[in-house]
Coordinates of all heavy atoms in Angstrom, one line a residue:
M5 N -18.1 14.5 -2.3 CA -16.9 14.5 -3.0 C -15.9 13.7 -2.3 O -15.1 12.9 -2.9 CB -16.4 15.9 -3.3 CG -15.1 16.1 -4.1 SD -15.4 15.6 -5.7 CE -13.8 15.9 -6.4
R6 N -15.8 13.9 -1.0 CA -14.7 13.1 -0.3 C -15.1 11.6 -0.4 O -14.0 10.8 -0.5 CB -14.8 13.5 1.2 CG -14.2 14.8 1.4 CD -14.1 15.3 2.9 NE -13.6 16.7 3.0 CZ -13.4 17.2 4.2 NH1 -13.7 16.6 5.2 NH2 -12.9 18.4 4.2
N7 N -16.2 11.2 -0.3 CA -16.5 9.8 -0.4 C -16.1 9.3 -1.8 O -15.7 8.1 -1.9 CB -18.0 9.6 -0.3 CG -18.4 9.9 1.2 OD1 -17.6 9.8 2.1 ND2 -19.7 10.1 1.3
V8 N -16.2 10.0 -2.9 CA -15.8 9.5 -4.1 C -14.3 9.4 -4.2 O -13.7 8.4 -4.6 CB -16.1 10.5 -5.2 CG1 -15.8 10.3 -6.6 CG2 -17.8 10.7 -5.4
V9 N -13.6 10.4 -3.7 CA -12.1 10.3 -3.7 C -11.7 9.1 -2.8 O -10.8 8.4 -3.1 CB -11.5 11.6 -2.9 CG1 -10.0 11.4 -2.7 CG2 -11.7 12.7 -3.9
T10 N -12.3 8.8 -1.7 CA -12.0 7.8 -0.8 C -12.2 6.4 -1.6 O -11.5 5.6 -1.5 CB -12.9 7.7 0.4 OG1 -12.6 8.9 1.1 CG2 -12.5 6.6 1.4
A11 N -13.4 6.3 -2.3 CA -13.6 5.2 -3.1 C -12.6 4.9 -4.1 O -12.1 3.7 -4.5 CB -15.1 5.2 -3.7
I12 N -12.2 6.0 -4.9 CA -11.3 5.9 -5.9 C -9.8 5.4 -5.4 O -9.3 4.6 -5.8 CB -11.1 7.2 -6.7 CG1 -12.4 7.4 -7.5 CG2 -9.9 7.1 -7.6 CD1 -12.4 8.7 -8.1
V13 N -9.5 5.9 -4.2 CA -8.2 5.7 -3.6 C -8.3 4.1 -3.2 O -7.2 3.4 -3.5 CB -7.9 6.6 -2.4 CG1 -6.9 6.1 -1.5 CG2 -7.5 8.0 -2.9
L14 N -9.3 3.7 -2.6 CA -9.4 2.3 -2.0 C -9.4 1.4 -3.3 O -8.8 0.3 -3.1 CB -10.6 2.2 -1.2 CG -10.6 2.9 0.1 CD1 -11.9 2.5 0.9 CD2 -9.4 2.5 1.0
A15 N -10.1 1.7 -4.4 CA -10.1 0.8 -5.5 C -8.7 0.7 -6.1 O -8.3 -0.2 -6.5 CB -11.1 1.4 -6.5
L16 N -8.0 1.9 -6.3 CA -6.5 1.9 -6.7 C -5.8 1.1 -5.8 O -4.7 0.3 -6.3 CB -6.1 3.3 -6.8 CG -6.6 4.1 -8.0 CD1 -6.2 5.6 -8.0 CD2 -6.4 3.5 -9.4
A17 N -5.9 1.1 -4.5 CA -5.0 0.4 -3.6 C -5.3 -1.1 -3.8 O -4.4 -1.9 -3.7 CB -5.3 0.9 -2.1
C18 N -6.6 -1.5 -3.9 CA -6.9 -2.8 -4.2 C -6.4 -3.4 -5.4 O -5.7 -4.5 -5.4 CB -8.4 -3.1 -4.1 SG -9.0 -4.7 -4.1
A19 N -6.5 -2.6 -6.5 CA -5.9 -3.0 -7.8 C -4.4 -3.1 -7.7 O -3.7 -4.0 -8.2 CB -6.3 -1.9 -8.8
A20 N -3.7 -2.1 -7.0 CA -2.2 -2.2 -6.9 C -1.8 -3.4 -6.1 O -0.7 -4.0 -6.4 CB -1.8 -0.9 -6.2
G21 N -2.5 -3.7 -4.9 CA -2.2 -4.9 -4.2 C -2.4 -6.2 -4.9 O -1.5 -7.1 -5.0
L22 N -3.4 -6.3 -5.8 CA -3.7 -7.5 -6.6 C -2.5 -7.5 -7.6 O -2.0 -8.6 -7.9 CB -4.9 -7.5 -7.1 CG -6.2 -7.8 -6.3 CD1 -7.4 -7.5 -6.9 CD2 -6.1 -9.2 -5.8
W23 N -2.2 -6.4 -8.2 CA -1.0 -6.4 -9.3 C 0.2 -6.8 -8.7 O 1.0 -7.6 -9.3 CB -1.1 -5.1 -9.9 CG 0.1 -4.9 -10.9 CD1 0.1 -5.5 -12.2 CD2 1.3 -4.2 -10.8 NE1 1.3 -5.2 -12.8 CE2 2.1 -4.5 -12.0 CE3 1.8 -3.6 -9.6 CZ2 3.4 -3.9 -12.1 CZ3 3.2 -3.0 -10.0 CH2 3.8 -3.2 -11.1
L24 N 0.5 -6.2 -7.5 CA 1.7 -6.7 -6.7 C 1.8 -8.1 -6.4 O 2.9 -8.7 -6.5 CB 2.0 -5.7 -5.5 CG 2.3 -4.3 -5.8 CD1 2.2 -3.3 -4.6 CD2 3.7 -4.2 -6.3
A25 N 0.7 -8.7 -6.1 CA 0.7 -10.1 -5.7 C 0.9 -10.9 -7.0 O 1.6 -11.9 -7.0 CB -0.7 -10.5 -5.1
Y26 N 0.4 -10.4 -8.1 CA 0.7 -11.1 -9.4 C 2.2 -11.0 -9.8 O 2.8 -12.0 -10.3 CB -0.2 -10.5 -10.5 CG 0.1 -11.0 -11.9 CD1 -0.4 -12.2 -12.3 CD2 0.9 -10.3 -12.8 CE1 -0.1 -12.7 -13.6 CE2 1.2 -10.7 -14.0 CZ 0.6 -11.9 -14.4 OH 1.0 -12.4 -15.8
V27 N 2.7 -9.8 -9.6 CA 4.1 -9.6 -10.0 C 5.1 -10.5 -9.0 O 5.9 -11.1 -9.4 CB 4.4 -8.1 -9.9 CG1 5.9 -7.8 -9.9 CG2 3.8 -7.3 -10.9
D28 N 4.7 -10.6 -7.9 CA 5.4 -11.3 -6.9 C 5.3 -12.9 -7.3 O 6.4 -13.5 -7.0 CB 4.8 -11.2 -5.5 CG 5.7 -11.9 -4.4 OD1 6.8 -11.6 -4.2 OD2 5.1 -12.9 -3.7
A29 N 4.2 -13.3 -7.8 CA 4.2 -14.6 -8.0 C 5.1 -15.0 -9.3 O 5.4 -16.1 -9.6 CB 2.8 -15.1 -8.4
H30 N 5.5 -14.0 -10.2 CA 6.1 -14.2 -11.3 C 7.5 -13.7 -11.4 O 8.2 -13.7 -12.5 CB 5.4 -13.6 -12.5 CG 4.1 -14.3 -12.8 ND1 3.0 -14.0 -12.1 CD2 3.8 -15.3 -13.6 CE1 1.9 -14.9 -12.5 NE2 2.4 -15.6 -13.5
T31 N 8.1 -13.2 -10.2 CA 9.4 -12.6 -10.2 C 10.0 -12.8 -8.9 O 9.3 -13.0 -7.8 CB 9.5 -11.2 -10.6 OG1 10.8 -10.7 -10.7 CG2 8.7 -10.3 -9.6
D32 N 11.3 -12.9 -8.7 CA 11.9 -12.8 -7.4 C 12.6 -11.5 -7.0 O 13.4 -11.5 -6.2 CB 13.1 -13.9 -7.5 CG 12.4 -15.3 -7.5 OD1 11.4 -15.5 -7.0 OD2 13.1 -16.3 -8.1
D33 N 12.3 -10.4 -7.7 CA 12.9 -9.1 -7.2 C 12.2 -8.4 -6.1 O 11.4 -7.6 -6.2 CB 12.8 -8.3 -8.6 CG 13.9 -7.1 -8.6 OD1 14.5 -7.0 -7.5 OD2 13.9 -6.4 -9.5
T34 N 12.6 -9.0 -4.8 CA 11.9 -8.5 -3.7 C 12.0 -7.1 -3.4 O 11.2 -6.3 -2.9 CB 12.3 -9.3 -2.5 OG1 12.1 -10.7 -2.8 CG2 11.6 -9.0 -1.3
G35 N 13.2 -6.5 -3.7 CA 13.6 -5.1 -3.4 C 12.7 -4.2 -4.1 O 12.3 -3.1 -3.6
V36 N 12.5 -4.5 -5.4 CA 11.7 -3.6 -6.2 C 10.3 -3.6 -5.8 O 9.5 -2.6 -5.6 CB 11.7 -4.1 -7.7 CG1 10.7 -3.2 -8.6 CG2 13.1 -3.7 -8.3
E37 N 9.7 -4.8 -5.3 CA 8.3 -4.9 -4.8 C 8.3 -4.3 -3.6 O 7.3 -3.6 -3.3 CB 8.1 -6.5 -4.7 CG 7.9 -7.2 -5.9 CD 7.6 -8.6 -5.7 OE1 6.8 -9.0 -4.8 OE2 8.4 -9.5 -6.3
A38 N 9.3 -4.4 -2.7 CA 9.1 -3.5 -1.4 C 9.1 -2.1 -1.6 O 8.3 -1.3 -1.0 CB 10.3 -4.0 -0.5
G39 N 9.9 -1.6 -2.6 CA 9.9 -0.2 -2.9 C 8.5 0.2 -3.5 O 8.0 1.2 -3.2
L40 N 8.0 -0.6 -4.4 CA 6.8 -0.3 -4.9 C 5.6 -0.2 -3.9 O 4.7 0.6 -3.9 CB 6.4 -1.3 -6.0 CG 7.1 -1.0 -7.5 CD1 6.8 -2.2 -8.3 CD2 6.7 0.3 -8.0
I41 N 5.6 -1.2 -2.9 CA 4.6 -1.2 -1.8 C 4.7 0.2 -1.0 O 3.7 0.7 -0.8 CB 4.8 -2.4 -0.9 CG1 4.5 -3.7 -1.6 CG2 4.0 -2.2 0.4 CD1 4.9 -5.0 -0.8
F42 N 5.9 0.5 -0.7 CA 6.2 1.7 0.0 C 5.6 3.1 -0.7 O 4.9 3.7 -0.2 CB 7.6 1.8 0.3 CG 8.1 3.0 1.2 CD1 7.9 2.8 2.6 CD2 8.4 4.2 0.6 CE1 8.3 4.1 3.4 CE2 8.8 5.3 1.5 CZ 8.8 5.1 2.8
L43 N 6.1 3.0 -2.0 CA 5.8 4.3 -2.9 C 4.2 4.4 -3.1 O 3.8 5.5 -3.1 CB 6.5 4.4 -4.1 CG 8.0 4.6 -3.9 CD1 8.8 4.5 -5.1 CD2 8.3 5.9 -3.2
I44 N 3.6 3.2 -3.4 CA 2.2 3.2 -3.9 C 1.4 3.6 -2.7 O 0.5 4.5 -2.7 CB 1.8 1.9 -4.4 CG1 2.4 1.7 -5.8 CG2 0.2 1.9 -4.5 CD1 2.2 0.4 -6.3
A45 N 1.7 3.1 -1.4 CA 1.0 3.3 -0.2 C 1.1 4.9 0.1 O 0.3 5.4 0.6 CB 1.5 2.4 1.0
A46 N 2.4 5.3 0.0 CA 2.7 6.7 0.2 C 1.8 7.7 -0.7 O 1.3 8.7 -0.1 CB 4.1 7.1 0.1
A47 N 1.8 7.4 -1.9 CA 1.1 8.2 -2.9 C -0.3 8.2 -2.5 O -1.0 9.3 -2.5 CB 1.4 7.7 -4.2
L48 N -1.0 7.1 -2.4 CA -2.3 6.8 -2.2 C -2.9 7.5 -0.8 O -3.9 8.1 -0.7 CB -2.9 5.5 -2.3 CG -2.8 4.9 -3.6 CD1 -3.2 3.4 -3.6 CD2 -3.7 5.6 -4.6
S49 N -2.0 7.4 0.2 CA -2.2 8.1 1.5 C -2.0 9.4 1.5 O -2.7 10.2 2.3 CB -1.5 7.3 2.6 OG -1.7 6.0 2.8
A50 N -1.2 9.9 0.6 CA -1.2 11.4 0.6 C -2.4 12.1 -0.1 O -2.9 13.1 0.2 CB 0.0 11.9 -0.4
L51 N -3.1 11.2 -0.9 CA -4.3 11.7 -1.5 C -5.5 11.7 -0.5 O -6.3 12.5 -0.4 CB -4.6 10.8 -2.7 CG -3.9 11.1 -3.8 CD1 -4.2 9.9 -5.0 CD2 -4.0 12.4 -4.5
R52 N -5.5 10.6 0.4 CA -6.6 10.4 1.4 C -6.0 10.0 2.7 O -6.0 8.8 2.9 CB -7.7 9.4 0.8 CG -8.9 9.4 1.6 CD -9.7 10.7 1.4 NE -10.8 10.7 2.2 CZ -11.2 11.8 3.0 NH1 -10.4 12.7 3.0 NH2 -12.2 11.6 3.7
P53 N -5.5 10.9 3.5 CA -4.8 10.5 4.7 C -5.6 9.7 5.7 O -5.3 8.8 6.5 CB -4.4 11.8 5.4 CG -4.5 12.7 4.2 CD -5.4 12.3 3.2
R54 N -6.9 9.9 5.8 CA -7.8 9.2 6.7 C -7.9 7.7 6.4 O -8.4 6.9 7.3 CB -9.2 10.0 6.8 CG -9.0 11.2 7.4 CD -10.4 11.8 7.7 NE -10.3 13.0 8.3 CZ -11.3 13.7 8.8 NH1 -12.5 13.3 8.8 NH2 -11.1 14.9 9.4
A55 N -7.6 7.3 5.1 CA -7.8 5.8 4.8 C -6.4 5.3 4.9 O -6.3 4.2 4.1 CB -8.4 5.7 3.4
A56 N -5.5 5.8 5.5 CA -4.0 5.3 5.3 C -3.9 3.8 5.8 O -3.2 3.0 5.2 CB -3.0 6.1 6.2
V57 N -4.5 3.6 7.0 CA -4.4 2.1 7.5 C -5.0 1.1 6.5 O -4.5 0.0 6.2 CB -5.0 1.9 8.8 CG1 -5.0 0.6 9.3 CG2 -4.2 2.9 9.8
I58 N -6.2 1.4 6.0 CA -6.8 0.6 5.0 C -6.1 0.5 3.8 O -5.9 -0.5 3.1 CB -8.3 1.1 4.7 CG1 -9.2 1.1 6.0 CG2 -9.0 0.3 3.6 CD1 -10.5 1.8 5.9
V59 N -5.5 1.6 3.3 CA -4.7 1.6 2.1 C -3.4 0.7 2.3 O -3.1 -0.2 1.4 CB -4.2 2.9 1.7 CG1 -3.0 2.9 0.7 CG2 -5.2 3.7 1.1
A60 N -2.8 0.8 3.5 CA -1.7 -0.1 3.7 C -1.9 -1.5 3.8 O -1.2 -2.5 3.2 CB -1.0 0.3 5.1
F61 N -3.2 -2.0 4.3 CA -3.5 -3.3 4.2 C -3.9 -3.8 2.8 O -3.6 -4.9 2.5 CB -4.6 -3.7 5.2 CG -4.2 -3.8 6.6 CD1 -4.4 -2.9 7.6 CD2 -3.7 -5.1 7.0 CE1 -3.8 -3.0 8.8 CE2 -3.2 -5.3 8.3 CZ -3.4 -4.4 9.3
L62 N -4.5 -2.9 2.1 CA -4.9 -3.4 0.7 C -3.7 -3.5 -0.2 O -3.6 -4.3 -1.0 CB -5.9 -2.3 0.1 CG -7.3 -2.4 0.7 CD1 -8.1 -1.3 0.0 CD2 -8.0 -3.8 0.3
V63 N -2.8 -2.5 0.0 CA -1.5 -2.6 -0.9 C -0.6 -3.8 -0.6 O -0.2 -4.4 -1.3 CB -1.0 -1.2 -0.9 CG1 0.6 -1.3 -1.6 CG2 -1.7 -0.1 -1.6
G64 N -0.3 -3.8 0.8 CA 0.6 -4.8 1.2 C 0.1 -6.2 1.7 O 0.9 -7.1 1.9
G65 N -1.2 -6.4 1.8 CA -1.8 -7.6 2.2 C -2.0 -8.7 1.5 O -1.8 -9.8 1.8
F66 N -2.1 -8.5 0.1 CA -2.3 -9.5 -0.9 C -1.2 -10.4 -1.1 O -1.4 -11.5 -1.4 CB -2.9 -9.0 -2.2 CG -4.3 -8.4 -2.1 CD1 -4.5 -7.1 -2.2 CD2 -5.3 -9.4 -2.0 CE1 -5.9 -6.6 -2.2 CE2 -6.5 -8.8 -2.0 CZ -6.8 -7.5 -2.0
I67 N 0.0 -9.9 -1.1 CA 1.3 -10.7 -1.5 C 1.4 -11.9 -0.5 O 1.5 -13.0 -0.8 CB 2.5 -9.8 -1.6 CG1 2.3 -8.9 -2.6 CG2 3.7 -10.8 -1.6 CD1 3.5 -7.8 -2.7
P68 N 1.4 -11.7 0.9 CA 1.6 -12.8 1.7 C 0.4 -13.8 1.8 O 0.5 -15.0 1.9 CB 1.8 -12.2 3.1 CG 1.5 -10.7 2.9 CD 1.5 -10.4 1.6
I69 N -0.8 -13.2 1.5 CA -2.0 -14.1 1.4 C -1.9 -15.0 0.2 O -2.1 -16.2 0.4 CB -3.2 -13.4 1.4 CG1 -3.5 -12.5 2.7 CG2 -4.5 -14.2 1.0 CD1 -4.7 -11.6 2.6
V70 N -1.4 -14.6 -0.8 CA -1.2 -15.5 -2.1 C -0.2 -16.4 -1.8 O -0.2 -17.6 -2.2 CB -1.1 -14.5 -3.3 CG1 -0.6 -15.4 -4.5 CG2 -2.3 -13.8 -3.6
E71 N 0.9 -15.9 -1.2 CA 2.1 -16.8 -0.9 C 1.7 -18.0 0.0 O 2.1 -19.2 -0.2 CB 3.2 -16.0 -0.2 CG 3.9 -15.2 -1.2 CD 4.8 -16.0 -2.2 OE1 5.4 -16.9 -1.9 OE2 5.0 -15.6 -3.3
S72 N 0.9 -17.7 1.1 CA 0.5 -18.8 2.0 C -0.5 -19.7 1.2 O -0.5 -20.9 1.6 CB -0.1 -18.1 3.2 OG -1.3 -17.4 3.0
L73 N -1.4 -19.2 0.4 CA -2.4 -20.1 -0.3 C -1.7 -20.8 -1.3 O -2.1 -21.9 -1.8 CB -3.4 -19.3 -0.9 CG -4.4 -18.6 0.0 CD1 -5.4 -17.7 -0.6 CD2 -5.1 -19.6 0.9
N74 N -0.6 -20.3 -1.9 CA 0.3 -20.9 -2.9 C 0.7 -22.3 -2.3 O 1.1 -23.3 -3.2 CB 1.4 -20.1 -3.5 CG 1.7 -20.5 -4.8 OD1 1.2 -21.3 -5.4 ND2 2.9 -19.9 -5.2
G75 N 1.1 -22.5 -1.2 CA 1.6 -23.7 -0.5 C 3.1 -23.8 -0.6 O 3.6 -24.8 0.0
A76 N 3.6 -22.9 -1.2 CA 5.2 -23.1 -1.3 C 5.9 -22.9 0.0 O 6.8 -23.7 0.3 CB 5.7 -22.0 -2.3
S77 N 5.5 -21.9 0.8 CA 6.2 -21.8 2.1 C 5.2 -22.0 3.2 O 5.7 -21.9 4.4 CB 6.8 -20.3 2.1 OG 5.8 -19.4 1.9
G78 N 3.9 -22.0 3.1 CA 3.0 -22.4 4.1 C 2.5 -21.1 4.8 O 2.9 -20.0 4.6
I79 N 1.6 -21.5 5.8 CA 0.9 -20.5 6.5 C 1.9 -19.6 7.5 O 1.8 -18.4 7.5 CB -0.3 -21.0 7.4 CG1 -1.3 -21.6 6.4 CG2 -1.0 -19.9 8.2 CD1 -2.3 -20.8 5.8
P80 N 2.6 -20.2 8.3 CA 3.6 -19.3 9.1 C 4.5 -18.3 8.4 O 4.6 -17.3 8.8 CB 4.5 -20.5 9.8 CG 3.7 -21.6 9.8 CD 2.9 -21.6 8.5
A81 N 5.0 -18.8 7.3 CA 5.9 -17.8 6.4 C 5.0 -16.8 5.8 O 5.3 -15.6 5.7 CB 6.5 -18.6 5.4
G82 N 3.8 -17.1 5.4 CA 2.8 -16.1 4.9 C 2.4 -15.0 5.9 O 2.3 -13.9 5.6
L83 N 2.2 -15.6 7.1 CA 1.8 -14.6 8.2 C 3.1 -13.7 8.5 O 2.9 -12.5 8.7 CB 1.5 -15.4 9.5 CG 0.1 -16.0 9.4 CD1 -0.2 -16.8 10.6 CD2 -1.0 -15.1 9.1
A84 N 4.3 -14.2 8.5 CA 5.4 -13.3 8.7 C 5.5 -12.3 7.6 O 5.9 -11.2 7.8 CB 6.7 -14.2 8.9
G85 N 5.4 -12.8 6.4 CA 5.3 -11.9 5.1 C 4.3 -10.9 5.2 O 4.5 -9.8 4.8
L86 N 3.3 -11.4 5.8 CA 2.1 -10.2 5.9 C 2.5 -9.2 6.9 O 2.3 -8.0 6.6 CB 0.8 -10.9 6.5 CG -0.3 -10.1 6.8 CD1 -0.8 -9.5 5.5 CD2 -1.5 -10.9 7.4
G87 N 3.2 -9.6 8.0 CA 3.6 -8.5 8.9 C 4.7 -7.5 8.2 O 4.5 -6.4 8.5
F88 N 5.6 -8.1 7.6 CA 6.7 -7.3 6.9 C 6.1 -6.3 5.8 O 6.3 -5.2 5.7 CB 7.8 -8.0 6.3 CG 8.6 -8.6 7.2 CD1 8.8 -10.0 7.5 CD2 9.5 -7.8 8.1 CE1 9.6 -10.5 8.5 CE2 10.3 -8.3 9.1 CZ 10.4 -9.7 9.2
A89 N 5.1 -6.9 5.0 CA 4.5 -6.2 3.9 C 3.7 -5.1 4.4 O 3.7 -4.0 4.0 CB 3.6 -7.1 3.0
V90 N 3.0 -5.4 5.4 CA 2.0 -4.3 6.0 C 2.8 -3.3 6.7 O 2.4 -2.1 6.8 CB 1.0 -5.0 7.0 CG1 0.1 -3.9 7.7 CG2 0.0 -5.8 6.1
V91 N 3.8 -3.7 7.4 CA 4.7 -2.7 8.1 C 5.3 -1.7 7.1 O 5.3 -0.5 7.3 CB 5.7 -3.4 9.1 CG1 6.8 -2.3 9.4 CG2 5.1 -4.0 10.3
G92 N 5.8 -2.3 6.0 CA 6.3 -1.4 4.9 C 5.3 -0.5 4.3 O 5.6 0.6 4.2
A93 N 4.1 -1.1 4.1 CA 3.0 -0.2 3.6 C 2.6 0.8 4.5 O 2.3 1.9 4.1 CB 1.9 -1.2 3.2
L94 N 2.5 0.6 5.9 CA 2.2 1.6 6.9 C 3.3 2.6 6.9 O 2.8 3.8 7.0 CB 2.0 0.9 8.2 CG 0.6 0.2 8.5 CD1 0.7 -0.6 9.8 CD2 -0.5 1.2 8.5
A95 N 4.4 2.3 6.8 CA 5.6 3.3 6.9 C 5.3 4.2 5.6 O 5.4 5.4 5.8 CB 6.8 2.7 6.9
G96 N 5.1 3.6 4.4 CA 4.9 4.5 3.3 C 3.6 5.3 3.4 O 3.7 6.6 3.1
A97 N 2.6 4.8 4.0 CA 1.4 5.5 4.1 C 1.5 6.7 5.1 O 1.1 7.9 4.7 CB 0.2 4.6 4.6
Y98 N 2.2 6.5 6.1 CA 2.3 7.7 7.0 C 3.3 8.7 6.5 O 3.3 9.8 6.8 CB 2.7 7.2 8.4 CG 1.3 6.7 9.1 CD1 1.0 5.4 9.2 CD2 0.4 7.6 9.4 CE1 -0.2 4.9 9.7 CE2 -0.9 7.1 10.0 CZ -1.1 5.9 10.1 OH -2.2 5.4 10.6
L99 N 4.3 8.2 5.7 CA 5.3 9.1 5.1 C 4.4 10.0 4.1 O 4.7 11.3 4.0 CB 6.4 8.4 4.4 CG 7.4 9.3 3.7 CD1 8.2 10.1 4.8 CD2 8.3 8.5 2.8
G100 N 3.5 9.4 3.3 CA 2.7 10.2 2.5 C 1.8 11.2 3.1 O 1.7 12.3 2.7
I101 N 1.3 10.9 4.3 CA 0.5 11.8 5.2 C 1.4 12.9 5.6 O 1.1 14.1 5.4 CB -0.1 11.1 6.4 CG1 -1.1 10.1 5.9 CG2 -0.7 12.1 7.4 CD1 -1.7 9.2 7.2
I102 N 2.7 12.7 6.1 CA 3.5 13.7 6.5 C 4.0 14.5 5.3 O 4.0 15.7 5.4 CB 4.9 13.0 7.0 CG1 4.5 12.4 8.5 CG2 6.0 14.2 7.3 CD1 5.6 11.6 9.0
A103 N 4.2 14.0 4.1 CA 4.6 14.8 3.0 C 3.3 15.7 2.5 O 3.7 16.8 2.2 CB 4.9 13.9 1.7
R104 N 2.3 15.3 2.6 CA 1.0 16.0 2.2 C 1.0 17.2 3.3 O 0.6 18.4 2.8 CB -0.3 15.3 2.2 CG -1.5 16.2 2.0 CD -2.7 15.3 2.1 NE -4.0 16.2 2.0 CZ -4.9 16.0 1.3 NH1 -5.1 14.8 0.7 NH2 -6.0 16.9 1.3
R105 N 1.1 16.9 4.5 CA 1.0 18.0 5.6 C 2.2 19.0 5.4 O 1.9 20.2 5.6 CB 1.0 17.5 6.9 CG -0.4 16.7 7.2 CD -0.6 16.4 8.6 NE -1.9 15.6 8.8 CZ -2.2 14.9 9.7 NH1 -1.4 14.8 10.7 NH2 -3.4 14.4 9.7
L106 N 3.3 18.5 5.1 CA 4.4 19.5 4.9 C 4.2 20.3 3.7 O 4.5 21.5 3.6 CB 5.8 18.7 4.8 CG 6.2 18.1 6.1 CD1 7.6 17.4 6.0 CD2 6.5 19.1 7.3
G107 N 3.7 19.8 2.6 CA 3.4 20.4 1.4 C 2.3 21.5 1.6 O 2.4 22.6 1.0
S108 N 1.3 21.3 2.5 CA 0.3 22.3 2.7 C 0.9 23.5 3.6 O 0.2 24.5 3.7 CB -1.0 21.7 3.3 OG -0.7 21.1 4.6
L109 N 1.9 23.2 4.4 CA 2.4 24.2 5.3 C 3.4 25.2 4.5 O 3.7 26.3 5.1 CB 3.1 23.6 6.4 CG 2.2 22.7 7.4 CD1 3.3 22.1 8.5 CD2 1.3 23.5 8.1
S110 N 3.9 24.8 3.3 CA 4.8 25.5 2.7 C 4.1 26.9 2.0 O 3.0 26.8 1.6 CB 5.5 24.9 1.6 OG 4.5 24.5 0.6
P111 N 4.8 28.0 2.1 CA 4.3 29.2 1.6 C 4.0 29.2 0.1 O 4.8 28.5 -0.5 CB 5.2 30.3 2.0 CG 6.5 29.6 2.2 CD 6.3 28.2 2.6
G112 N 3.0 29.9 -0.3 CA 2.7 29.9 -1.8 C 3.6 30.8 -2.4 O 4.5 31.5 -1.8
P113 N 3.5 30.9 -3.8 CA 4.3 31.9 -4.7 C 4.0 33.2 -4.2 O 2.8 33.6 -3.9 CB 3.9 31.5 -6.0 CG 2.6 30.9 -6.0 CD 2.6 30.2 -4.7
G114 N 5.1 34.1 -4.2 CA 4.9 35.6 -3.9 C 5.1 35.9 -2.6 O 5.1 36.8 -1.9

């Protein structure tokens, strides 16, 4: 069962990363994209905390790779973007882990 959940979470992270790269190529709304990277990584990492680093790279990694391959800003800018995107995704991923652990510590009803 855990392997199935991990596979679903990684597939969703990959799909989200590709969708975010597509959205980035068609809009200039960086703030919304950064928030989506953070929230998607947090939600998926809350579902499967052991895959948090992989989720962060899948969610945040495609945007700077597409940017650097696009040729608009080149490889150095793409690498800098990769750093920022992955750091934001990692922050969201670990916030998701913390939220899951805090939720499991709260007392139940009654």
Side-chain angles (χ1 to χ4, degrees):
M5 181 66 176
R6 288 183 182 179
N7 291 337
V8 173
V9 172
T10 302
I12 291 171
V13 165
L14 293 180
L16 288 173
C18 188
L22 290 171
W23 178 74
L24 286 167
Y26 173 80
V27 169
D28 181 62
H30 291 85
T31 185
D32 289 333
D33 202 357
T34 307
V36 172
E37 290 176 51
L40 284 173
I41 290 171
F42 184 85
L43 292 174
I44 291 170
L48 292 175
S49 294
L51 292 174
R52 192 69 183 128
R54 291 187 181 190
V57 173
I58 298 169
V59 166
F61 275 101
L62 287 174
V63 171
F66 287 109
I67 293 172
I69 291 171
V70 169
E71 286 289 324
S72 65
L73 292 176
N74 202 9
S77 53
I79 299 278
L83 290 176
L86 179 64
F88 286 116
V90 170
V91 166
L94 279 171
Y98 283 102
L99 181 71
I101 292 171
I102 291 168
R104 177 183 172 140
R105 290 190 179 162
L106 289 176
S108 66
L109 294 178
S110 63

